[in-house]
Amino acid sequence: MKSRTKFSILFLMALGILFSCTDKEEYYQRPDWLEDPIYQVLADKGNFTNYLKCVDRTLFAETLKGGGLYTVFAPNDEALQAYLSSKGYNSVDQLSDSLVNKLVSYSIVYNAYSYDRLTDVLGGGWDTLTSIKKQTSYYEPIRRETVNGQQIWVYDLSSFTMSDNNYKYVPLYLSRVFERSRSAAQAASDYGIFYPATYTGKNVQNASILNTDIMCENGVIHEIDQVVEPLPTLEQMLDDPDYSLFKEMINKSGSTGEKYFITYQYNEAVTQHYRKAMPDKNIDQVYLKYYTDLAINLNGERYGASVSEAEKGGYTLFAPNNAAVMKFYNEKLKDYYPEGLENLSRDVLMYFINAQMIDDLVWPGDYKGSMNSLGEFFNGKGNRGAEFDKNNYAKIAPASNGFFYGSNDYIKSRFFETVFTEILLNSKYNLANAAFTEFYANTLREELMKCELNGYTQENYTILLPSDSLLMADGFSWEWISGSNKYGFVHSRAGSSMGNFDVNGRIQRLIRSHIFKRLKNEQVDCALTSFATDPAFASEYNGYSYAVNDYGDMIRYYTTPTGEQRLQMLGNFDENDWVVATPHKTFSNGQVFKIDKLLQYSRRNQFPETVEGYKSQDLITYVLKMTAAVQNPNVAKYKNYMIQCLKGDESNELAGLSADMVLTIFMPNNKAMDQAVLDGYLPSYAQVTSGDPQAKIQATKFVLHHIVKGKVFVDDGLPYIMPNREVITEETWPTVLKDVVDDTYLAIRKTADGKLEVSTRSQSTGRSFSEILKTASLTRGVRRSNFFASKAVMHEIDDYMVYQKVTQ
């Protein structure tokens, strides 16, 4: 059996050898059904003679005659003749070899794409209806560039990879993709702004496809009606002298001679490659060139991080012309950099440059809602702003890696239009700027730049500018800290007698103490545009008005007869000192003031060398101060209960009220306290002092029930409550806040005359209450309400609150 099987196999092998020998010539003959190669098909068509003459002058002649898979966008004879005429030539023989090579290689795309597949990306499979361009076989070789006075060889690095030779892509405007997100009319309009050609929905750059899917053995041909030339990069388009100032910004070098935004990196492999490929050029070293810290790689042909992503998008550059750059300088920078553009800091340049670009394609039809790389509307207002107007641009052109809008104006940025601008640009506030960068880079710093440019239409801020001289006088400096291996804040009083001095905590509190957050819209306008007092309101407080800063500290202010605006915070109040605020500048989202002293939360002048000068006094100190006979004896009974229930024998701390709490304390007046005792809600003071434990528990809950934690509510005369810019108007339900005992709640609102009102509600469902148990109004007067305390404010009220545990 085995021998028979072996024989059969040998027999079949012999038959195979026999037939292969006898039919060898027929086996290797080209099948009749196979299409001819691209070159032959073009020759047979008869209307591509000029194109083939160009092909014959390049190495691509053999490519198009041989194997492989290619797509060729072939201009017919009529198209090439029109191109020659536009150049002043009569024959393709007059074209230079370099130009011919560009035209031919740019017309050839790797891989065979039928017309229906031109809109798809070929990766692991077909990603349909996503491709807007195809990689051609054309790329620009290394070139000479002058850097720091020396000529070097430069290789443009595309998306940080050297594997694709920075091949150029040819853009496609095919209706299957181009009209997916826009109407045919809008597509025609958008296309027409970039190209002086008719939009057909079958466009390849400036050309249109006349005949599709001419199939060949080694690919496919699409006949086009115009010659397409390789497009310049966005970097090359900036060579236009009209944009030289903007280009100089991008090319700016620091004090060491290194470019701020361009990296030149020597590469041995690329150097060796080009030494062999171009032996007659005497190439010594080749440097990779790419852009850093900018939103787009201006010289990179490949978009995105992968080959497939490269076909799906591109970049957009709104390049301000020289007049626009000077306009920006004169309007925004001249006050800070009077010596001119050449001395702008790296950060200023980076913010401005990035504001003019985005790593996406911005079509004219999409301009209105489009944002730059910094998240700011190109038109300044988004959907509330203007549509695209081509008359605002001296030059609009497609680049090989995106769109170029040569603008007569500059794109505005929040870095130059908001209250933070003064801190960023003015060298007098470098320490404050360092603090924002160190502690609030992505929080408060960004918040102070909220404006219409980035979609915020109602935020309004007031900053009292803490200058370097003021912060240095306080003891601060910005130094290299060897232990941390970085720069940081140092305070001259830290260490020695100061004990565990929190340097960073102090600078952070001081920074936030000088910031006020407000709103300004059609319904609410509480912008703190000045510290001038409202005479009608201030008359009830001996001429003072009040506000709360970002940290939660109350300040009070008044205007002198000469118009000087003066302010106090807790520490200034303790030392009877005043800060003078002078209006300085108005920005799109608020205003800034110069000050002659810092707002203080501690007695900095009285105790400059000891810890007492750098921390607030205890809460009990201010409770005693407010309730003293010379201040407000009307709330002495509440004070007595507070001390008896909360204060320890040896400590100034009040039980249940930690030092880091932000508080609003509503103190019922003596009459209300007496009534609470009569109504049975409060044990008598004698019961509490007698040692009755139940009486003390009930009294303690009563005291704490009048203290709201987490926010400072001041009586400011405004018709709405505004803790941390959470505006609550008369038309909305009052804000509901936990007090400091159990899970009990108080509701706070404003009366018709703007006075604070506090109430206890019986039962809550969400923010609604079924019954008002008790309501009290604030009693105005400089000694009766708006009284300073450590991270707190104290008010006298005309009734007491009923303690009742409720759910929310």
Side-chain angles (χ1 to χ4, degrees):
M1 184 68 178
K2 288 182 178 178
S3 62
R4 179 175 296 179
T5 302
K6 183 177 181 181
F7 174 79
S8 299
I9 293 172
L10 291 171
F11 178 73
L12 291 173
M13 289 174 64
L15 286 177
I17 293 169
L18 175 64
F19 280 108
S20 67
C21 291
T22 55
D23 298 333
K24 185 175 182 179
E25 184 177 348
E26 180 181 349
Y27 180 83
Y28 284 106
Q29 284 183 350
R30 191 173 184 279
D32 294 336
W33 48 265
L34 192 63
E35 301 288 353
D36 288 329
I38 292 172
Y39 188 98
Q40 188 59 49
V41 171
L42 289 170
D44 292 344
K45 288 291 183 180
N47 62 333
F48 297 98
T49 56
N50 284 326
Y51 177 70
L52 288 179
K53 286 182 180 179
C54 291
V55 170
D56 287 337
R57 294 172 58 185
T58 70
L59 297 176
F60 290 98
E62 294 304 316
T63 300
L64 299 184
K65 292 175 183 178
L69 290 174
Y70 305 97
T71 299
V72 176
F73 295 104
N76 57 31
D77 284 340
E78 184 178 352
L80 247 166
Q81 190 57 55
Y83 176 78
L84 292 171
S85 297
S86 69
K87 300 292 185 181
Y89 298 132
N90 298 316
S91 168
V92 294
D93 296 334
Q94 295 175 278
L95 299 178
S96 67
D97 289 341
S98 61
L99 178 56
V100 167
N101 187 67
K102 283 183 181 180
L103 297 178
V104 172
S105 58
Y106 192 63
S107 70
I108 299 173
V109 169
Y110 290 109
N111 293 318
Y113 294 97
S114 65
Y115 181 75
D116 288 341
R117 286 296 190 189
L118 285 174
T119 53
D120 304 337
V121 175
L122 179 59
W126 288 104
D127 189 2
T128 59
L129 300 178
T130 58
S131 179
I132 61 171
K133 56 185 178 181
K134 294 297 180 188
Q135 179 183 298
T136 71
S137 57
Y138 175 68
Y139 64 91
E140 294 183 350
I142 60 174
R143 67 183 190 281
R144 299 288 273 174
E145 190 170 305
T146 302
V147 179
N148 294 332
Q150 294 184 338
Q151 286 265 310
I152 63 172
W153 289 99
V154 169
Y155 175 96
D156 289 317
L157 189 61
S158 182
S159 296
F160 306 102
T161 177
M162 294 181 291
S163 61
D164 63 356
N165 285 326
N166 212 21
Y167 287 108
K168 282 191 179 290
Y169 288 74
V170 59
L172 309 174
Y173 306 97
L174 308 181
S175 59
R176 293 179 65 202
V177 168
F178 199 39
E179 295 177 24
R180 288 185 75 192
S181 59
R182 55 176 65 79
S183 66
Q186 186 61 57
S189 175
D190 283 350
Y191 178 83
I193 287 176
F194 285 100
Y195 298 100
T198 301
Y199 172 72
T200 62
K202 300 173 72 174
N203 298 91
V204 179
Q205 204 163 296
N206 54 297
S208 185
I209 300 176
L210 298 177
N211 290 303
T212 65
D213 296 341
I214 304 172
M215 297 301 176
C216 308
E217 176 187 353
N218 55 349
V220 59
I221 303 168
H222 302 295
E223 179 184 353
I224 57 177
D225 64 353
Q226 291 191 54
V227 173
V228 290
E229 291 183 316
L231 295 169
T233 62
L234 290 169
E235 179 190 62
Q236 291 167 332
M237 299 197 79
L238 287 174
D239 290 336
D240 186 329
D242 287 342
Y243 306 94
S244 60
L245 291 180
F246 186 60
K247 183 178 180 180
E248 286 174 9
M249 287 181 160
I250 295 173
N251 291 342
K252 189 79 167 61
S253 298
S255 58
T256 63
E258 291 188 6
K259 303 286 187 184
Y260 283 148
F261 311 113
I262 304 175
T263 295
Y264 296 94
Q265 181 180 331
Y266 171 71
N267 187 276
E268 178 65 21
V270 176
T271 298
Q272 293 300 330
H273 170 78
Y274 278 100
R275 281 177 181 172
K276 295 176 182 178
M278 304 166 65
D280 58 327
K281 297 296 184 179
N282 296 320
I283 296 171
D284 51 355
Q285 293 179 323
V286 179
Y287 291 83
L288 308 180
K289 179 184 180 182
Y290 54 92
Y291 288 82
T292 55
D293 293 329
L294 298 186
I296 63 180
N297 192 25
L298 292 165
N299 64 333
E301 299 289 354
R302 178 191 285 185
Y303 171 79
S306 65
V307 175
S308 59
E309 191 178 355
E311 294 187 21
K312 300 178 182 180
Y315 307 120
T316 300
L317 176 63
F318 287 84
N321 60 23
N322 294 340
V325 170
M326 289 309 302
K327 179 183 177 184
F328 167 68
Y329 170 75
N330 289 323
E331 291 180 347
K332 304 300 176 183
L333 302 182
K334 193 172 183 179
D335 288 348
Y336 310 103
Y337 294 91
E339 63 277 9
L341 289 170
E342 60 275 7
N343 291 307
L344 300 185
S345 72
R346 182 185 184 280
D347 284 350
V348 168
L349 291 169
M350 181 177 65
Y351 298 140
F352 178 69
I353 294 168
N354 279 318
Q356 320 302 312
M357 56 178 63
I358 181 64
D359 60 342
D360 199 1
L361 292 175
V362 178
W363 289 94
D366 301 327
Y367 169 80
K368 189 173 183 179
S370 295
M371 287 182 159
N372 62 21
S373 66
L374 302 177
E376 301 151 344
F377 291 111
F378 283 112
N379 69 355
K381 295 184 177 182
N383 291 327
R384 296 181 301 277
E387 300 278 0
F388 182 83
D389 185 353
K390 64 181 182 181
N391 294 317
N392 294 332
Y393 303 90
K395 182 178 182 179
I396 303 175
S400 60
N401 53 351
F403 293 153
F404 182 91
Y405 295 93
S407 180
N408 298 326
D409 206 345
Y410 61 92
I411 303 299
K412 292 182 178 180
S413 171
R414 67 187 187 277
F415 289 96
F416 309 107
E417 303 289 338
T418 59
V419 289
F420 187 72
T421 299
E422 189 68 16
I423 294 173
L424 173 69
L425 298 182
N426 196 328
S427 60
K428 294 179 180 179
Y429 308 109
N430 285 337
L431 289 177
N433 191 21
F436 277 102
T437 303
E438 179 74 8
F439 306 115
Y440 305 114
N442 299 313
T443 52
L444 184 58
R445 180 176 184 263
E446 283 297 319
E447 188 174 357
L448 294 176
M449 292 190 284
K450 286 182 176 179
C451 61
E452 194 169 29
L453 292 173
N454 50 5
Y456 297 93
T457 58
Q458 61 180 2
E459 282 70 14
N460 194 274
Y461 305 91
T462 297
I463 299 181
L464 305 175
L465 297 165
S467 67
D468 288 354
S469 59
L470 293 178
L471 291 173
M472 290 169 68
D474 190 87
F476 287 104
S477 58
W478 180 252
E479 299 177 13
W480 180 259
I481 302 175
S482 57
S484 302
N485 201 32
K486 67 172 189 176
Y487 279 94
F489 279 99
V490 174
H491 198 283
S492 60
R493 284 12 177 237
S496 62
S497 63
M498 297 296 294
N500 187 20
F501 184 75
D502 185 1
V503 176
N504 288 342
R506 178 167 175 77
I507 187 67
Q508 289 178 58
R509 183 167 183 181
L510 287 176
I511 290 294
R512 292 181 60 189
S513 295
H514 292 78
I515 296 170
F516 302 84
K517 300 176 180 178
R518 296 297 182 98
L519 291 179
K520 186 176 183 179
N521 56 42
E522 293 181 357
Q523 289 77 38
V524 176
D525 183 359
C526 54
L528 193 58
T529 57
S530 79
F531 294 95
T533 50
D534 174 13
F537 170 79
S539 63
E540 299 189 72
Y541 283 100
N542 285 17
Y544 297 121
S545 291
Y546 299 85
V548 178
N549 62 28
D550 180 55
Y551 192 83
D553 290 306
M554 182 185 76
I555 68 153
R556 69 178 183 179
Y557 58 94
Y558 78 103
T559 310
T560 68
T562 60
E564 192 173 72
Q565 299 176 37
R566 295 185 175 186
L567 304 87
Q568 278 184 333
M569 201 166 74
L570 180 64
N572 310 105
F573 166 75
D574 285 340
E575 297 183 323
N576 194 27
D577 194 18
W578 291 93
V579 175
V580 176
T582 305
H584 181 49
K585 285 187 179 181
T586 300
F587 294 91
S588 66
N589 68 340
Q591 43 284 318
V592 298
F593 290 75
K594 291 183 178 181
I595 52 177
D596 67 338
K597 300 183 185 72
L598 293 176
L599 289 174
Q600 295 284 358
Y601 59 87
S602 59
R603 294 166 294 170
R604 173 66 178 77
N605 295 325
Q606 188 176 351
F607 301 100
E609 302 296 336
T610 62
V611 69
E612 286 80 6
Y614 296 89
K615 71 173 186 176
S616 300
Q617 298 183 81
D618 297 317
L619 177 61
I620 189 62
T621 301
Y622 299 97
V623 172
L624 294 173
K625 184 179 292 188
M626 176 181 177
T627 58
V630 296
Q631 291 286 349
N632 188 11
N634 296 317
V635 289
K637 291 186 176 181
Y638 179 84
K639 176 262 297 183
N640 291 337
Y641 274 90
M642 175 184 278
I643 292 175
Q644 186 65 36
C645 294
L646 305 182
K647 186 179 180 300
D649 293 335
E650 303 295 333
S651 171
N652 281 334
E653 293 183 3
L654 298 176
L657 303 177
S658 63
D660 60 347
M661 280 186 176
V662 176
L663 305 170
T664 299
I665 302 174
F666 293 99
M667 296 181 168
N669 61 25
N670 295 338
K671 181 180 179 181
M673 294 292 288
D674 291 340
Q675 189 64 46
V677 173
L678 291 174
D679 293 342
Y681 287 104
L682 177 65
S684 70
Y685 189 68
Q687 286 178 284
V688 175
T689 58
S690 70
D692 182 341
Q694 292 302 317
K696 186 171 183 178
I697 289 173
Q698 184 181 2
T700 299
K701 289 185 176 181
F702 180 92
V703 169
L704 293 177
H705 187 50
H706 291 77
I707 303 174
V708 174
K709 62 183 178 181
K711 294 178 181 177
V712 168
F713 291 91
V714 299
D715 182 30
D716 52 17
L718 296 173
Y720 26 72
I721 300 173
M722 197 177 49
N724 300 333
R725 213 176 53 225
E726 178 190 345
V727 171
I728 300 158
T729 64
E730 189 177 356
E731 290 73 28
T732 61
W733 201 253
T735 184
V736 180
L737 296 160
K738 278 188 180 182
D739 61 25
V740 295
V741 54
D742 298 335
D743 287 317
T744 58
Y745 292 83
L746 296 175
I748 300 173
R749 68 180 304 165
K750 289 286 188 75
T751 60
D753 63 350
K755 187 183 296 184
L756 277 177
E757 182 180 85
V758 59
S759 61
T760 302
R761 308 282 170 145
S762 64
Q763 187 66 39
S764 62
T765 303
R767 291 178 70 89
S768 296
F769 289 76
S770 59
E771 181 185 358
I772 299 175
L773 294 179
K774 207 72 167 166
T775 297
S777 293
L778 173 147
T779 303
R780 285 178 170 167
V782 72
R783 292 185 174 88
R784 309 186 77 172
S785 290
N786 283 342
F787 202 90
F788 279 109
S790 179
K791 296 183 182 178
V793 63
M794 297 181 288
H795 303 295
E796 176 188 332
I797 54 176
D798 62 4
D799 208 341
Y800 67 91
M801 294 294 100
V802 176
Y803 169 73
Q804 181 178 9
K805 185 174 180 178
V806 298
T807 59
Q808 187 181 37

